[in-house]
Amino acid sequence: MMQNAPFGRVVCAMVTPFQADGSIDFKRLESFTDELITSGAQGLLVCGTTGEAPTLSEDERTAQIQCVCNAAASRVPVLANVGSNSTAASVAFAKRIAKLPVDGLMAVVPFYNKPPQEGIYQHFVHIAHASDKPLVLYNIPGRCGINMQAETTLRLAHDVDTIVAIKEASGNIEQIQTIIDNAPAGFSVYSGDDSLTFELAKRGAAGVISTIANIAPARMAHMLVLCEQERFDHAYREHTALLPLMKGLFETANPILVKAALHLLGRSVGGLHLPLIEATPEQKQRLAALLQECGFALQ
C-alpha cells in the first residue's frame, strides 16, 4: 500500500523562467504555474535545484515563492526550498519564508562541508524548530557529497512532529525501503529520481518530487494512480514509455535539458544562469528524438 502523499503524488520541481537579462520572468512564472496545475501537477516545489536556486538571491527566491503561491491560489500545495549548507542561514530563511502562504518547506542535507550524521540531525532539527510549517528532508548524496543514513532519517521522523516527509535521491533501494518500512505514521517517502518512481511506488512510497513533471505531469500522475490501484503491469508500461526521457534529461546537468525540452515543445522559459550553459546542438538533437520517441509533438 502506498503511503499518504501530503503534497500530492506528483510534485513538480519547477524550473525558473528568466528574461533575457537573467532576471526572473514573473509574468511567465505565473502562467507556467497555471500550466503545470491544469496539466496534472498535484503539488509544486519552488526554488529547488531544477529552479536554479543556488544562483538566486534570497530576495529573488522570496519573490519567486510568493509569486507561485499567488498563482497557485491554493489549488495545489506549494513547497519552498529553504535549505543550504549553513544551519544559521537555513533557519533564518525558513523563518522568512514561513511567513508566506506556503504549505511546507524543504531543506537539503548540508553540502560541501560533509557533517557527521549527528550534525545532519541537528541541522534539520534547528530548521524544523524555526517555524510550524511541515518540513521535507532532501537527501541527494550525488550533489551533497554525503549520504544521510536511514537511521538518521528515521530518528528525525520519529523525534520531530513537523518533519513529515523526505525526498530520497540516494538511489539506494535498500536504504529507501528501510525508511518506508520503519517510518512513523504520517511520514512519507517521495522519490527524488523520476526513473525510480515506479519501483519505489510499488514498494509503498508516496510519490515523486519530479523533474519530468515540468513536461509530463499528467503521465506521471496516471502511472502513480495505477500503482495506487496495484495495477503494476499497466503502471510499468507507462513507466517504460517515459523512461528514455527520464534518463535523457540528465545527460548533462539539470535543468539544462529540461529547459531545452520545454523550448522544443513551444513553452519558452528563458535561458540559464551561469555556471549552467545552454544545451549543445547535438544534445538538442538527441533530446528532440527522445521527445518524439516518448510521444511528444515538437513545435
Side-chain angles (χ1 to χ4, degrees):
M1 180 180 295
M2 293 179 67
Q3 295 172 327
N4 178 51
F7 305 104
R9 297 228 178 269
V10 178
V11 180
C12 178
M14 298 177 65
V15 302
T16 300
F18 293 128
Q19 300 189 79
D21 64 359
S23 61
I24 297 172
D25 187 339
F26 287 103
K27 183 176 181 180
R28 179 64 182 120
L29 182 60
E30 289 179 4
S31 62
F32 188 59
T33 299
D34 188 66
E35 288 170 19
L36 289 172
I37 295 170
T38 57
S39 59
Q42 299 167 352
L44 301 172
L45 169 66
V46 194
C47 293
T49 307
T50 307
E52 300 176 72
T55 70
L56 301 174
S57 70
E58 286 196 357
D59 286 346
E60 286 174 316
R61 283 182 277 152
T62 302
Q64 182 180 4
I65 293 162
Q66 181 69 71
C67 178
V68 171
C69 288
N70 292 344
S74 300
R75 288 176 290 171
V76 300
V78 175
L79 279 173
N81 174 43
V82 299
S84 73
N85 62 343
S86 164
T87 303
S90 299
V91 166
F93 194 55
K95 289 178 178 178
R96 179 177 184 177
I97 298 305
K99 296 175 184 177
L100 303 181
V102 295
D103 297 281
L105 308 177
M106 190 179 81
V108 70
V109 169
F111 45 89
Y112 187 73
N113 38 19
K114 288 188 170 183
Q117 294 297 306
E118 179 62 24
I120 295 172
Y121 174 86
Q122 293 293 341
H123 176 79
F124 284 121
V125 167
H126 279 75
I127 297 171
H129 288 167
S131 80
D132 59 359
K133 296 286 186 179
L135 178 66
V136 179
L137 314 174
Y138 182 18
N139 185 37
I140 182 164
R143 284 188 180 272
C144 295
I146 191 167
N147 175 52
M148 179 163 64
Q149 297 169 4
E151 293 77 10
T152 304
T153 299
L154 290 168
R155 185 181 168 202
L156 288 161
H158 283 278
D159 289 357
V160 186
D161 289 342
T162 54
I163 293 179
V164 300
I166 184 169
K167 178 184 179 183
E168 241 292 355
S170 66
N172 185 329
I173 297 292
E174 182 179 355
Q175 172 172 295
I176 299 170
Q177 187 69 66
T178 297
I179 299 169
I180 292 170
D181 291 344
N182 295 282
F187 184 85
S188 302
V189 176
Y190 282 88
S191 174
D193 295 298
D194 285 316
S195 61
L196 288 181
T197 302
F198 168 75
E199 183 62 34
L200 295 181
K202 192 170 64 171
R203 292 167 177 264
V208 61
I209 298 179
S210 170
T211 298
I212 201 173
N214 284 281
I215 300 163
R219 290 175 66 174
M220 289 296 285
H222 179 57
M223 187 267 286
L224 286 167
V225 166
L226 293 171
C227 288
E228 193 170 12
Q229 297 171 345
E230 298 188 357
R231 297 167 63 191
F232 295 119
D233 288 347
H234 292 82
Y236 183 70
R237 286 199 289 271
E238 296 295 323
H239 163 74
T240 54
L242 276 178
L243 188 59
L245 184 58
M246 291 176 184
K247 292 183 175 181
L249 288 173
F250 287 85
E251 176 188 333
T252 188
N254 183 44
I256 290 173
L257 292 181
V258 179
K259 282 195 162 180
L262 287 165
H263 284 287
L264 287 168
L265 296 171
R267 301 168 65 194
S268 177
V269 288
L272 299 120
H273 280 182
L274 284 169
L276 299 183
I277 59 173
E278 297 293 326
T280 67
E282 294 79 13
Q283 288 170 337
K284 290 178 183 178
Q285 186 176 23
R286 288 191 292 272
L287 181 59
L290 277 176
L291 286 165
Q292 291 176 312
E293 177 187 341
C294 293
F296 295 90
L298 304 185
Q299 298 294 313

